[in-house]
Amino acid sequence: VEEREELLDRISRKDAEISELKASLSLHYTEDAAVDLSLWQAAVEERDDIIVKLHGEAAQREGEVERLKSALGKGEGVVVKDMKAKEPVAVVPPSPPPKAGKVSSPSSFSSTTTTATATATDTSFASTTTLLIFTYKRSDYLTKTLNTILPLIPPGMGILISQDGHDPSVSSTISSFAAKFGGRNPVSAVRHEQKAGENGYQLLSQHYGFGLREAFGTKHDGPERVIVLEEDIEVAPDFFKFFGRMSVLLDDPAENLLCVSAWNDNGMRGYVKDETRAVRSDFFPGLGWMLTREVWEELEPIWPRGYWDDWLREPERRKGRKTIRPEVSRTFHFGKSGGTSNNVYSKYLDSIQLSSSDVDWASSDIGHLRSGAYDGALKASLLAAEAVTLADAASHSGPTDVRVTYSGLRGFEEAARRLGIMDNIKAGVPRT
């Protein structure tokens, strides 16, 4: 009964959100055609963002309705997470992902972890982590991605490639690279069967849910964490070292983290410089990210039918948790065609700076990234920076830090446009 009431309440809330989105959307049809072109373009981009979110909320509502119908048909005491049927899996080649041992307790690490301890942790990290790569029908992109991974992935880390559909060239590429990785990194593949009548964002979300279920497997033989990549992402030389070091924080419940990401949405050339710096962010960036089994077990029963990334950014899922990401991105999105988003953000994606450094993350002190230390240090650095106007900040090129004050999300959008960074906002959180 409680499950039914909760579902009905969630559907009601989704209806209200959809109504608000429709109202917001209608405002953008009344814009004066004589307004400044840049402001008009910004309004159009925001309108498109609202449309995407509207479709996502509607798709999620449909999923809640289906779950409710199932609950009503099964009587009292239904557990929603048990309603989902296992999707059929075809394994190519037949070798399974490697079994993973248990990771060391996070409490055994301190912010001054020594190099020797970090090296041992790296070995444990590889054996308890699986690399999951999603692919569809771009075998040339998949080849490039696997070629960048081949010399960098630590020995013992399992690789699972999840293929959507039956493209023969992609299947051939997977088989070819399974041989190249050899016994050093066991490669397995699963195939997801697409459902007819779904749009691209829904197909992608369903494929993601399928792949993550397969990657995490069961409690007894699955990994402690999974790194997620797509077929059109190139990685930096220290990509795996960065994740290995940050796993110390990700595994610690006291750090309140949703994930670790290799991507900075505003990591464009000319805007970033410190290859050794990482930050805590309220925004989930994706494009090369790592999550724990605990987070997946929370998300899996309610995984959405569509628009999974915006869904994950909603307050109900994020729950105030942070993401750790580098200042200089450790991934680069090189896909130009065949993607779901049709390169909407290509202006930003193309200018992202991919790190070329091989930072010794194992020896780095990450104590400043812990929740108890980070906010105070961030506030101190903001207060120490020189306060300037937005116009001065836009032309600033000196070695000193400067600070711009803005008011509200509209103020952020204006400042972001003037500074040439992403003004996009999701679930009330700017891409910062």
Side-chain angles (χ1 to χ4, degrees), residues 231-254:
E231 65 187 1
D232 56 356
I233 295 180
E234 181 180 357
V235 304
D238 59 355
F239 173 82
F240 291 102
K241 296 176 183 177
F242 173 75
F243 278 121
R245 188 68 175 118
M246 298 306 156
S247 69
V248 175
L249 299 175
L250 184 65
D251 291 345
D252 188 346

Side-chain angles (χ1 to χ4, degrees), residues 138 140-145 148 230-235 332-337 343 349-350:
R138 300 179 291 182
D140 53 338
Y141 287 179
L142 179 60
T143 297
K144 181 175 180 179
T145 294
T148 66
E230 296 181 16
E231 65 187 1
D232 56 356
I233 295 180
E234 181 180 357
V235 304
F332 180 78
H333 181 273
F334 60 81
K336 299 291 186 183
S337 61
N343 256 7
L349 297 176
D350 293 347

Side-chain angles (χ1 to χ4, degrees), residues 262-298:
W263 178 262
N264 176 7
D265 276 302
N266 286 307
M268 289 81 76
R269 289 181 292 275
Y271 289 83
V272 294
K273 63 179 181 179
D274 191 346
E275 303 267 4
T276 66
R277 183 170 177 255
V279 303
R280 294 174 72 102
S281 173
D282 291 309
F283 194 84
F284 167 72
L287 292 181
W289 56 290
M290 177 173 67
L291 74 164
T292 63
R293 169 179 294 281
E294 288 73 23
V295 170
W296 171 243
E297 288 177 346
E298 171 192 328

